[in-house]
Each structure stands twice: as C-alpha cells, then as structure tokens.
C-alpha cells in the first residue's frame, strides 16, 4: 500500500513539471509564467502602489473605522509594514504575482465589494475558470452541490471517466474538492472573498468556485482540481480538470454599457456573469421572453403547479421606467402562467430565490 501512495505522489510531481500534462495550451500555469515576464514591477513601482493605497485608506475610505471594529483588521498598518520592507530593502523582491497577492489580501480584509485592488494587464482582461458550474440546492432538507452546466463551445468539454459507466456531466453531485469535503472547500474559498458575514462569504465562495476573475481575484494556487462525485447511476468516481484562462473580448467589455455610470457596481460579479454568458450560452427556444443581459422567463412545473420563472441576472439598466414597463408586459402577456411567480435573483446584492 505504501508503494502505491508514493507512486501516486510521484506521478503528481511529474505532472506538475510536465508541459505535455496540460490538456490545453491555455492552461493557468503557462499564463502565469508569461504574466511574470510581461508585467514585472520594480521596487519603486511597488512603493508607489503601496503609497497610493495608503492615501486611499487613510484619507478617503470613510468606512475604515467600522471595518476595523467589526472585522478586527488594520490595513493601514499592513501597508506601512509592506512599505517599510520595500523601502529598506529588508526583503528580496518577491514575484510580481506575490506582491499582487499581498495587496489583494490587504484590500480583501475589509470585506468590501466596492473597495478593490484591481490588477493591471494582462490579468485585468482574463478570468481563470474550470469548464463546469456547481450550484447549491436542498433535497428533503439535505444540502447538495450539483454540476449544472458544462462548457461546450470553444474549449474542450468535460469527458467521461473510466470505471463503472460513471460520467462527469450535468446532474452529478459533487462530494469532494481536492480531497476536501465540498462544503468546506467553498468555505475556504469564501474566506478570501468580500462579504460581511459567513453566509455572504459562503455564497461568494460558491459563485467564485469555478470562475475566478483575475482583475480582482487571486489566481488559483492549484493548476488542476480533482473532483469526487456521485454519478447519475449512483457510482462514486473522481474527475480531474485543469484550470483554463478566458480572455475578455470587446463584446464582453461592452455588454454592460451603463457600468461606468454606477458607483456601487459589483465588478467581480459582473465579470463572472459575462464569462458564464460566453461559456454557457442559453437555449432561447423555450423562453417566454427576455430582456437582453438582464433577465429571461420560463414556464416551470413545481409540485404539479405551473409557475412563471424569471431569472434576474443584473440590476444594471439604463432606463428604469422602460425596464419596469417591459417587466409588466412580460408577466401579463398571453401564455405566461398567472398562478404564481418565481423570481430568482441569486448572486445579486441581497438576492436569493423568492416566490410570490
């Protein structure tokens, strides 16, 4: 048994050092290596960034006293320590991504959605992702995490695994993430996310589990993920996926035309929605109606009752009066169920599933 364990560990080490082990040339490891070469920061450039961050925190961040009190943090002292280490040359320069990681950690300690440290190019335009989505649901009071979508366009789709007919596909239940129970893995991911209470951080950790915008998030530490899951036929199996990198297109940048007019925009959530829209295009043939980039409506049957289901993605609308009129026209049109309405606003500020 010991020889098998050593062999498996040796195999993982060989995979980490082997370029041919990655399934795609757009792997995370290759991307980070190229970024380190292209976006290196000198000591003086790092000092200027830290000093500007101190000006922001000390002179402009009005919520700092409250954040210090409720989260027991001191971002200014952390910045002063980092400035001292850089100015005195007390430490050899760490990697550029290591510096960004420290800055992200300092800003992230405020748990503030709108006070962010944003990375420059090439990180700014890119998102690390795994080609599947995991969502939470409850069945008879038990919490479950289900794969709901897999990428089908542009990138290699998830492939079936060998063994007892198990397939990694939409509908399978995820049980483990790199050997960690899935709920705990989401909690760990949520600790690096904004959110002023554990429930908010858990929601952010789940939303950010397989899509990580690199303009405002730490790159994943691991280059691949091993998922333990229960297949649809009841078989327990494992599946490995490598982190890939998606570069935002001009269309992605212009998909939220009103974003520059808003001061309370959740930039990370907006980027996640843009990537989801690109990787997991929706089949519009079954919709009762939609408003581009904002919502769509379906007909669903729940416990024998036909209900109207509206998935709301975004509160970013240019003309609120026009939006309200369009919404009213949608829910009163012929064919829209009038017995009940489910409004699904997962991932929006304060949002969850509401029924009326």
């Amino acid at each position: 048994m010991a020889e098998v364990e050593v062999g498996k560990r040796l195999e993982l080490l060989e995979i980490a050092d082997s370029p041919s082990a990655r399934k795609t040339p757009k792997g995370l490891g290759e991307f980070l290596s190229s970024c380190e070469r292209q976006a290196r920061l000198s000591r003086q450039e790092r000092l200027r960034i830290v000093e500007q961050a101190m000006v922001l925190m000390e002179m402009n961040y009005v919520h700092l006293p409250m954040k210090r009190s409720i989260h027991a943090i001191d971002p200014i002292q952390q910045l002063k320590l980092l400035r001292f280490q850089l100015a005195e040359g007390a430490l050899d320069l760490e990697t550029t991504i290591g510096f960004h990681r420290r800055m992200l950690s300092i800003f992230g300690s405020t748990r503030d959605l709108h006070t962010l440290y944003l990375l420059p190019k090439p990180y700014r335009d890119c998102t690390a992702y795994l080609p599947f989505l995991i969502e939470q649901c409850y069945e008879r009071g038990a919490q479950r995490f289900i794969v709901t979508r897999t990428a089908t366009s542009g990138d290699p789709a998830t492939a079936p695994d060998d063994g007892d007919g198990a397939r990694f596909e939409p509908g399978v239940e995820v049980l483990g993430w790199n050997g960690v129970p899935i709920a705990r893995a989401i909690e760990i991911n949520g600790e690096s996310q904004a959110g002023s209470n554990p429930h908010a951080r858990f929601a952010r950790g789940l939303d950010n589990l397989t899509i990580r915008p690199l303009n405002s998030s730490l790159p994943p530490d691991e280059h691949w993920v091993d998922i333990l899951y229960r297949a649809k036929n009841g078989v327990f199996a494992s599946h490995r996926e490598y982190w890939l990198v998606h570069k935002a297109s001009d269309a992605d940048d212009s998909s939220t035309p009103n974003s520059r007019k808003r001061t309370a925009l959740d930039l990370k959530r907006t980027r996640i929605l843009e990537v989801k829209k690109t990787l997991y295009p929706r089949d519009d043939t079954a919709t009762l109606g939609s408003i581009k980039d904002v919502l769509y409506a379906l007909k669903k049957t729940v416990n024998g009752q036909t209900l109207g289901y509206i998935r709301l993605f975004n509160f970013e609308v240019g003309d609120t009066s026009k939006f309200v009129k369009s919404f009213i026209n949608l829910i009163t049109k012929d064919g829209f169920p009038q017995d009940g309405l489910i409004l699904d606003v997962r991932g929006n500020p304060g949002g969850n599933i509401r029924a009326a």
Side-chain angles (χ1 to χ4, degrees), residues 69-309:
S69 176
I70 64 178
H71 298 309
I73 60 168
D74 195 346
I76 292 177
Q77 185 59 32
Q78 289 180 288
L79 289 167
K80 286 181 178 179
L81 177 60
L82 180 54
R83 182 182 64 178
F84 172 80
Q85 292 170 341
L86 289 168
E88 298 298 320
L91 296 175
D92 292 334
L93 278 184
E94 60 188 338
T95 62
T96 300
I97 191 59
F99 171 77
H100 290 316
R101 185 176 286 113
R102 293 182 69 174
M103 293 297 294
L104 284 167
S105 176
I106 292 170
F107 274 76
S109 68
T110 66
R111 306 293 185 190
D112 194 326
L113 288 174
H114 315 300
T115 304
L116 304 174
Y117 177 77
L118 298 178
L119 275 67
K121 286 185 175 181
Y123 305 100
R124 185 180 70 189
D125 302 324
C126 295
T127 301
Y129 73 97
L130 296 168
F132 59 91
L133 293 180
I134 297 177
E135 296 189 67
Q136 179 189 38
C137 69
Y138 287 85
E139 185 175 355
R140 298 176 183 175
Q143 180 179 241
R144 300 177 63 195
F145 297 92
I146 307 297
V147 173
T148 55
R149 305 289 294 275
T150 56
T152 57
S153 61
D155 296 294
T158 50
D161 289 341
D162 296 330
D164 299 324
R167 290 178 59 90
F168 189 78
E169 59 188 344
V172 305
E173 180 181 4
V174 177
L175 305 171
W177 182 278
N178 283 339
V180 181
I182 183 62
R184 176 57 185 151
I186 294 170
E187 288 177 358
I188 294 171
N189 187 43
E191 285 303 310
S192 63
Q193 310 294 324
S196 292
N197 60 72
H199 295 294
R201 289 194 287 274
F202 187 88
R204 303 285 295 191
L206 177 59
D207 193 43
N208 202 48
L209 187 63
T210 61
I211 299 179
R212 312 243 178 123
L214 298 182
N215 63 338
S216 58
S217 294
L218 291 173
D221 291 320
E222 69 278 4
H223 288 187
W224 69 85
V225 173
D226 289 324
I227 302 106
L228 175 67
Y229 68 98
R230 179 165 31 220
K232 289 183 177 180
N233 60 2
V235 171
F236 293 89
S238 63
H239 181 73
R240 173 173 292 175
E241 279 291 352
Y242 288 77
W243 284 98
L244 305 172
V245 176
H246 167 78
K247 189 176 187 303
S249 65
D250 294 338
D252 293 334
D253 292 335
S254 62
S255 63
T256 52
N258 301 296
S259 61
R260 291 182 176 84
K261 302 176 184 179
R262 310 291 182 175
T263 57
L265 180 66
D266 185 348
L267 294 177
K268 182 179 292 186
R269 177 62 184 166
T270 299
R271 172 65 67 83
I272 289 174
L273 289 175
E274 289 170 350
V275 174
K276 283 183 178 180
K277 184 175 64 175
T278 301
L279 297 178
Y280 311 103
R282 189 178 71 249
D283 181 7
D284 289 327
T285 57
T287 61
L288 299 174
S290 65
I291 300 176
K292 188 177 186 301
D293 296 329
V294 178
L295 63 81
Y296 70 87
L298 295 171
K299 187 184 297 185
K300 288 183 176 286
T301 301
V302 180
N303 296 327
Q305 184 181 9
T306 301
L307 303 171
Y309 170 87

Side-chain angles (χ1 to χ4, degrees), residues 1-11:
M1 181 64 70
E3 292 181 358
V4 173
E5 293 175 354
V6 171
K8 290 295 184 184
R9 293 175 64 187
L10 179 60
E11 177 186 347

